[in-house]
Amino acid sequence: MLKQQTLVFPFSVFAAFFLLASTTFHSVEAHSHRHASTVGRLVLKHQRKLLTQTEHGEISAASVTDRAKPPYHLHFITLEPNSVFFPVLLHADMVLFVHTGSGALSWTDDDGMQNVKIRKGDIYRLHQGSVFYVQSNLEAERERLRIYAIFTNTEDDIYEPAVGAYSSITDMVLAFDSILLQAAFKVPEDVIEEMMRASRTPAIIHAVQKEKMFGELQARVFKAFAGEFLGSIHNKKTKAYNIFEADPDFENCNGWSVTVDKKDLHLLKHSNIGIFMVNLTKGSMMAPHWNPRASEIAIVLQGQGMVRVLCSSNVKASKCRNMRYRVEEGDVFVVPRFHPMAQMSFNNDSFVFMGFSTSTKKNHPQFLAGKRSVLGSLDKKVLALSFNVPNATIDHLLKPLTCIHVYYTRGIF
Ligand SMILES: *[C@@H]1O[C@H](CO)[C@@H](O)[C@H](O)[C@H]1NC(C)=O
Ligand SMILES: *[C@@H]1O[C@H](CO)[C@@H](O)[C@H](O)[C@H]1NC(C)=O
Ligand SMILES: *[C@@H]1O[C@H](CO)[C@@H](O)[C@H](O)[C@H]1NC(C)=O
């Protein structure tokens, strides 16, 4: 378990880090961008691709890469209260996180139709080949149900961009001609004719319309096609894992951080995806660190912050640029494995982000500062020699930290 100190970062040590960075990493010239060269590692909210938009909700998508693997695909599904996202056939494994709101997730597996209630902070995973749909609750606070989903990218489960993450069940059924459907479903001609004649429904509709759309005849066809489709949302069988119930990896006056891997959540097994969340209170910093096992794909949930990502020292400047950017709610940023990073909130608000890490193996972030600093575990003499500074400087650098806020000033990041 990491000690509290890792999340704390007094200004003096911070300054020391940049001294450290400039001697250790070549090409420290930082770029403050929002332009093309960062596409793939930084996708701002307005750069997402809008896939569906109706008055009852929308779906947008972003693709990101850590340059080590094929791109990862994210979908952002937003449902207004009391709406339904219609059944789709999933083409890749999907790990999802519920940002706000509540509702129900329904899907098919070998045992038939399954159902789980979902609410803010829940994590769930669906397997490729399931048919699923989502319904949002009508809550008193009328909060929208917002789901962030990642489609996994393992060797035996390659996401095919041409096919997409999922396809509409209705489209798949209606692509066949009526004689074939009539034979397959063993229904009278007028049933199929009615379905063919009906106008195509949008991907997201109001729940009240659902009864109309899922009329008796369609229900029959759906049932035949995908099992017990119209299960009531009350027959809860499973409970989703909630990230707010997990024990933080560390927590102090500057915030907290939590990770969920396959040990915490069995459902994530063989998915290659873990989940993490960080809450930095006003004027705080996640101390410089890197991940030895996973790349991180982070989505900003609340507030704004600064993110700094450096290259590994042996990567050519043409292949990788040190980056520094400002992100806000809805932006996505990727930090590849082994790249040193630091995140910082501003003085006026918390900076909260969650993300998907590309491995479910235990991934202990390696911090540069604090009690558990990787530097602290090296021989002090060797360290003094390698930095070409007196012993006392290293002592000073590695002194234990206390809970001190870092005030954001332009010069820092
Ligand atoms: C983050 O921390 C702040 C301050 O403790 C708190 O007000 C806020 O609700 C937290 N945000 C989340 C998403 O937990
Ligand atoms: C918080 O501070 C940052 C940086 O000074 C500023 O850009 C941002 O607009 C402020 N946010 C709010 C909500 O005032
Ligand atoms: C640093 O400390 C080591 C012993 O701990 C000593 O041998 C060495 O002379 C010291 N170097 C300096 C520059 O103080």
Side-chain angles (χ1 to χ4, degrees), residues 102-106 115-118 133-137 145 233:
S102 66
L105 172 70
S106 310
N115 230 299
V116 66
K117 284 183 179 169
I118 49 174
Y133 69 95
V134 185
Q135 180 162 348
S136 57
N137 285 349
L145 175 63
I233 70 164

Side-chain angles (χ1 to χ4, degrees), residues 304 326 346 348:
Q304 304 180 354
R326 180 194 181 118
F346 292 115
N348 53 6

Side-chain angles (χ1 to χ4, degrees), residues 1 3 130 145 156 168 177 185 205 230 253 288 342 381 390 413:
M1 196 84 343
K3 283 277 157 357
S130 345
L145 175 63
D156 48 349
S168 151
D177 60 56
F185 289 108
I205 62 162
L230 298 171
C253 64
K381 275 179 289 179
F413 253 71

